[in-house]
Amino acid sequence: MGWGVGVPGLQPIEDQELSGGLIKLAISGIFSLSLLIMQQNRTEAVAGAFSRCWGFCGMRLGFLLLTRPWCIAGVFQQKFDGESAYVGMSDGNPELLATSQTYNSQNESNEDYEIPPITPPNLPEPSLLHLGDHEAGYHSLCHGLTPNGLLPAYSYQAMDLPAIMVSNMLAQDSHLLSGQLPTIQEMVHSEVAAYDSGRPGPLLGRPAMLASHMSALSQSQLISQMGVRSGIAHSSPSPPGSKSATPSPSSSTQEEESESHFKMSGEKRPSADPGRKAKNPKKKKKKDPNEPQKPVSAYALFFRDTQAAIKGQNPSATFGDVSKIVASMWDSLGEEQKQSSPDQGETKNPQANPPAKMLPPKQPMYAMPGLASFLTPSDLQAFRSGASPASLARTLGSKSLLPGLNASPPPPPSFPLSTPLHQQLPLPPHTQGTLLSPPVSMSPAPQPPILPTPMALQVQLAVSPSPPGPQDFPHVSEFPSGSGSRSPGPSNPTSSGDWDSSYPSGECGISTCSLLPRDKSLYLT
DNA sequence: CACGTGATTGTTGGG
DNA sequence: CCCAACAATCACGTG
């Protein structure tokens, strides 16, 4: 797979409320995102990937939650149009990166597993952009992109950084990405952990925390690796991914891990109960009327809030599709978030649907009340504290949600990737929290992110290949078409802005990518 | 008692 | 009222 080179042009947005920052990424196509953050001399963290992300409109929004202000150098995105891979640049000029064949070359068997093999078996060396040296990178990032906007490529190997392959969740579906999964290589500096360790407080970013919470393999792995590498895993006793001290090429290992993880954590295992269908023909016991009603589950509330947005985005989406999406989103939510999510209060509160009430009228398109609610400071806090991005584990249903994304050549990557981000910056969390704010249009010229801190962040975005073909991504193809019409391009009207901020998972705003199956948000410590 | 499995409930919307 | 997919929870059975 040709891993793209990082292309600057991404605008990070910092959420003022956050100690760190919340960055939004707009990406088109299916991609995996990896971030390389460099702080001072060391790489601070590597971000996870957006798994299974494909934009409904061809555009996706990702979120990066940073514990502290960062400077993002840039993001690059690749799109695969079946035949070719494109790198989307902020400038809007697509660059042919590689042919699809490259991708195809790697067929993995990670079918059900979302966990990507640590090392890409077949992957040719990913071409990652990175700074030649940290400093350079730092400066370049902070101050600006290189003239051409490209960062010098380096070989991660040289850096002695462990490379983590993050599979995109897309892979979950066996067919989906099986062969083409975009993999993300994340570079983590060995010292990464150290940084966190210094940080007191429940920062989300703490590796340990993350590790514990992260169900997502990519993240977990990343973290684990970080911890291992650094040898500073102090905070958390056992990172889930601890086993993967060394990235092993074997995907199986990871898979196992993932599975075990599920079992251990009790997280939804791939529900194997198809049998459930056999469900008793008769629902017995209807429950007596007298029985006090149980509070609505958080998931139910979440579903209720989210489905509207999804539906709005994709009217044609069936219940099943919506359900899958919501599930993936739910998955991506951290435990805390789930609990703290609107539902929580609601559940406790007799009044259901607080979110909706709290928020201005739901906005069908983008508004994700539930999500929005997540963004509350407390939520953010929670999020930081460990909310994990979701578990990669689940595989989406075979059906694809997204219609035409893949099918048609990716909209010109040209649309600004980061566009949506800028809007949020200044807004207070609350404001942002409400998804209500008008959808951000993806404008080519995003505002420069506010980067309070000098830290440079190098972001590499590995784009997973967009579904080459319908066959490859059944769900996508299946998706009701029309999405394409919605917002083919960058122009996606979606209100990504607010949305994202609130939605941790990195799902694209519903508006933009509503249908994306789970993608992950990136968490930077 | 711990664990696993199945059933139930909840979400929305259409038939 | 049932069904769709999914998650969460509870009940029950088994070791």
Side-chain angles (χ1 to χ4, degrees):
Chain A
M1 311 185 44
W3 285 102
V5 175
V7 175
L10 177 61
Q11 287 73 11
I13 290 177
E14 179 180 2
D15 181 336
Q16 292 176 346
E17 293 271 338
L18 298 178
S19 63
L22 179 60
I23 298 170
K24 293 179 184 179
L25 300 178
I27 299 167
S28 65
I30 296 172
F31 61 89
S32 292
L33 174 62
S34 67
L35 296 178
L36 177 58
I37 296 170
M38 299 178 74
Q39 177 180 359
Q40 303 298 335
N41 291 335
R42 57 194 170 204
T43 298
E44 189 64 21
V46 175
F50 289 81
S51 56
R52 291 186 175 190
C53 300
W54 48 87
F56 176 77
C57 317
M59 180 154 252
R60 181 174 187 63
L61 295 180
F63 299 85
L64 292 178
L65 180 58
L66 302 180
T67 56
R68 60 191 109 197
W70 290 88
C71 180
I72 293 176
V75 172
F76 86 91
Q77 111 186 52
Q78 288 178 326
K79 290 193 73 168
F80 294 85
D81 176 10
E83 295 296 329
S84 341
Y86 296 89
V87 173
M89 298 171 125
S90 61
D91 62 3
N93 294 328
E95 179 174 329
L96 175 60
L97 187 55
T99 61
S100 62
Q101 292 179 347
T102 309
Y103 289 90
N104 292 340
S105 64
Q106 70 180 72
N107 293 343
E108 293 337 321
S109 53
N110 20 337
E111 298 176 348
D112 292 343
Y113 301 91
E114 297 171 343
I115 296 171
I118 292 171
T119 23
N122 299 340
L123 286 180
E125 199 174 295
S127 58
L128 297 178
L129 279 185
H130 56 288
L131 298 179
D133 74 19
H134 296 285
E135 289 240 337
Y138 176 90
H139 291 294
S140 65
L141 293 178
C142 294
H143 298 293
L145 298 179
T146 59
N148 60 2
L150 295 178
L151 294 178
Y154 63 89
S155 66
Y156 60 86
Q157 296 151 346
M159 294 187 71
D160 180 13
L161 296 177
I164 297 171
M165 289 289 294
V166 175
S167 66
N168 35 9
M169 306 333 172
L170 291 178
Q172 286 182 343
D173 278 357
S174 51
H175 359 347
L176 277 187
L177 297 181
S178 51
Q180 311 154 351
L181 291 184
T183 56
I184 296 169
Q185 303 241 340
E186 295 178 359
M187 317 292 266
V188 175
H189 189 287
S190 61
E191 290 178 354
V192 171
Y195 178 85
D196 288 350
S197 64
R199 292 181 69 84
L203 293 182
L204 322 181
R206 290 182 143 209
M209 294 289 292
L210 291 178
S212 64
H213 295 286
M214 291 186 143
S215 57
L217 40 148
S218 65
Q219 291 180 347
S220 65
Q221 288 180 350
L222 175 60
I223 291 171
S224 67
Q225 281 202 0
M226 291 173 70
V228 171
R229 286 274 185 179
S230 62
I232 301 174
H234 45 287
S235 59
S236 76
S238 62
S242 63
K243 45 181 92 183
S244 64
T246 23
S248 86
S250 70
S251 62
S252 64
T253 303
Q254 289 185 345
E255 290 178 356
E256 290 178 358
E257 286 183 3
S258 66
E259 269 203 357
S260 62
H261 173 65
F262 285 107
K263 291 181 180 178
M264 295 296 288
S265 63
E267 270 187 10
K268 41 201 147 189
R269 57 177 174 223
S271 60
D273 34 334
R276 195 190 281 164
K277 290 258 169 93
K279 226 183 238 185
N280 54 342
K282 61 177 170 207
K283 296 181 170 182
K284 58 181 176 188
K285 99 171 129 189
K286 224 155 189 204
K287 144 195 271 184
D288 57 359
N290 292 341
E291 190 163 329
Q293 268 190 314
K294 295 178 182 177
V296 178
S297 68
Y299 180 78
L301 293 173
F302 179 79
F303 185 94
R304 184 177 54 196
D305 291 341
T306 305
Q307 64 85 22
I310 295 172
K311 274 283 189 179
Q313 189 71 35
N314 226 358
S316 58
T318 64
F319 179 86
D321 292 338
V322 173
S323 179
K324 288 175 183 177
I325 296 169
V326 172
S328 65
M329 293 173 76
W330 177 259
D331 234 6
S332 50
L333 292 179
E335 204 56 29
E336 292 181 2
Q337 285 184 337
K338 290 176 182 176
Q339 293 178 354
S340 65
S341 67
D343 22 3
Q344 186 75 337
E346 294 177 358
T347 346
K348 301 309 184 190
N349 275 344
Q351 305 175 344
N353 301 9
K357 293 178 180 177
M358 296 182 66
L359 296 179
K362 292 180 179 180
Q363 290 196 343
M365 296 304 285
Y366 344 108
M368 305 252 319
L371 294 180
S373 60
F374 288 172
L375 291 186
T376 63
S378 63
D379 290 343
L380 291 176
Q381 181 68 25
F383 187 71
R384 291 175 181 176
S385 62
S388 90
S391 53
L392 303 181
R394 304 182 61 55
T395 62
L396 290 181
S398 58
K399 291 184 178 182
S400 69
L401 302 178
L402 305 182
L405 286 185
N406 48 357
S408 60
S414 58
F415 58 79
L417 299 179
S418 60
T419 47
L421 306 182
H422 46 330
Q423 292 180 346
Q424 292 184 343
L425 297 183
L427 298 180
H430 295 293
T431 310
Q432 293 176 350
T434 63
L435 298 180
L436 303 182
S437 64
V440 174
S441 60
M442 309 291 235
S443 63
Q447 293 177 347
I450 297 168
L451 304 175
T453 60
M455 297 176 169
L457 171 59
Q458 179 174 2
V459 177
Q460 289 186 343
L461 175 57
V463 175
S464 60
S466 63
Q471 62 282 15
D472 290 345
F473 298 87
H475 24 312
V476 171
S477 62
E478 290 180 1
F479 211 64
S481 63
S483 62
S485 63
R486 281 192 182 153
S487 48
S491 59
N492 178 344
T494 66
S495 59
S496 45
D498 298 355
W499 214 86
D500 329 318
S501 60
S502 57
Y503 197 75
S505 67
E507 301 270 305
C508 52
I510 288 173
S511 59
T512 51
C513 323
S514 60
L515 297 184
L516 307 182
R518 63 184 68 202
D519 49 347
K520 295 177 126 15
S521 49
L522 298 179
Y523 301 90
L524 298 182
T525 57

